[in-house]
Amino acid sequence: MRAIGYQTPLPIENPASLQDIDLPKPVPSSRDLLVEIRAVSVNPVDTKVRRSATPEAGQWRVLGWDAAGVVVGTGPEVTDFSVGDEVFYAGAIKRPGTNAEFHLVDERIVGRKPCSLNWAEAAALPLTAITAWEMLFDRLDIRRSVPGTTSSILIIGGAGGVSSMAIQLAKVLTDITVIATASRPETQDWVTSLGADYVIDHSKPLAAQVAALPTGAPSFVFSTTQTDRHLAEIVELLAPQGHFGLIDDPVELNAVPLKRKSLSLHWELMFTRSLFGTADISAQGKLLNDVSHLVEEGRLRTTLGKNLGHITAANLKEAHALIESGQAKGKIVLKGFPA
């Protein structure tokens, strides 16, 4: 089967950073689905792994987690899917990725593709939807109240893929007030179109901008990027006994300043459930089905920002470069292998 992979971590400008290759078609076992890939999207995690993870000598590392496709085979223990089902999912970080014609995935982390979306639109959703959902409802638990506050959340990096889903989920499933950050006119328009009640500029000090809003101190902060840069401002602007969650990778994170306000700290990694085979691993399949239903009801929309064409090494390099530039808006998607 055709796939895209690498053997040595390299800058994306290097011709060998991602290469078109041929690999054996995988065979499903246990609770695996064999999925024929129709579209994939590219996430920051793809670029992080490409730059840092070295495959075993002589082996290829295939990246890619988001995917939409058709089930073409099932393992002997599969109970919830059949050949012909259209699915979408975010995969597991310890297994080969979705940048291939065929892919194996545990059925428990798979959802049914929304019928109203095409392949590219559906592939844009899973990883960011899972990350946003788990942070909002499993980690921060934004439905809880913080004494003395009106319920509000600040989402830092509002135009990114995860934030684009978090804004929508918060507005659709709760009555919380959403403050999002964006620094350019086009990204400010984007987060407003997704439902943000207020928009502030993350290139300027955050606390003063939040203080000027009629919301009062936020109960929650969800930081998706540059947390180390904004940490002091986050501590200043959060309400006492508030809750702070992050998904990026600061070089270091000093949690001591959180003590004075009794602020809680929450990490989210959407691969945790599949990585450790947690008892609630099937929660990811369930939430993807919930997302699918919300899309079908017209309450959520795809966050597809740019479709770069076929799934090839050249197009994936362009996607990686765009993500590494920090200028991406929404999700970057590739659809189908060349004929």
Side-chain angles (χ1 to χ4, degrees), residues 199-219:
V199 184
I200 64 175
D201 186 347
H202 51 237
S203 69
K204 302 174 182 178
L206 299 176
Q209 295 180 79
V210 169
L213 299 175
T215 56
S219 319

Side-chain angles (χ1 to χ4, degrees), residues 9-68:
L10 294 166
I12 198 60
E13 298 81 12
N14 191 298
S17 61
L18 292 171
Q19 300 180 56
D20 294 300
I21 58 175
D22 284 304
L23 294 174
K25 182 177 177 180
V27 178
S29 61
S30 185
R31 301 192 70 169
D32 282 342
L33 305 178
L34 178 63
V35 178
E36 183 180 3
I37 299 298
R38 299 295 178 84
V40 299
S41 71
V42 184
N43 295 279
V45 65
D46 296 59
T47 68
K48 293 174 185 177
V49 173
R50 190 206 79 244
R51 295 194 303 262
S52 62
T54 303
E56 292 184 18
Q59 299 300 306
W60 292 95
R61 179 68 185 263
V62 176
L63 301 172
W65 287 277
D66 271 331

Side-chain angles (χ1 to χ4, degrees), residues 105-158:
V105 61
D106 187 311
E107 67 166 342
R108 292 172 292 180
I109 61 173
V110 174
R112 296 185 182 275
K113 171 187 165 292
C115 296
S116 59
L117 298 185
N118 63 34
W119 295 112
E121 292 167 336
L125 291 175
L127 187 147
T128 54
I130 295 169
T131 303
W133 188 297
E134 290 184 348
M135 176 58 85
L136 295 179
F137 304 118
D138 295 343
R139 315 293 177 232
L140 289 174
D141 187 10
I142 64 170
R143 294 189 176 105
R144 66 175 135 181
S145 62
V146 174
T149 70
T150 55
S151 187
S152 59
I153 183 170
L154 171 65
I155 299 176
I156 298 173

Side-chain angles (χ1 to χ4, degrees), residues 299-321:
R299 301 172 70 194
L300 285 182
R301 75 186 216 203
T302 182
T303 53
L304 191 157
K306 182 172 288 191
N307 186 334
L308 294 181
H310 287 132
I311 305 169
T312 65
N315 289 340
L316 279 169
K317 287 178 185 178
E318 182 180 351
H320 280 233

Side-chain angles (χ1 to χ4, degrees), residues 54-119:
T54 303
E56 292 184 18
Q59 299 300 306
W60 292 95
R61 179 68 185 263
V62 176
L63 301 172
W65 287 277
D66 271 331
V70 179
V71 177
V72 294
T74 60
E77 298 174 29
V78 168
T79 59
D80 295 333
F81 294 91
S82 301
V83 170
D85 287 344
E86 297 183 351
V87 297
F88 73 146
Y89 59 90
I93 199 164
K94 63 183 178 182
R95 304 188 71 176
T98 58
N99 294 337
E101 287 186 279
F102 298 94
H103 183 250
L104 294 178
V105 61
D106 187 311
E107 67 166 342
R108 292 172 292 180
I109 61 173
V110 174
R112 296 185 182 275
K113 171 187 165 292
C115 296
S116 59
L117 298 185
N118 63 34
W119 295 112

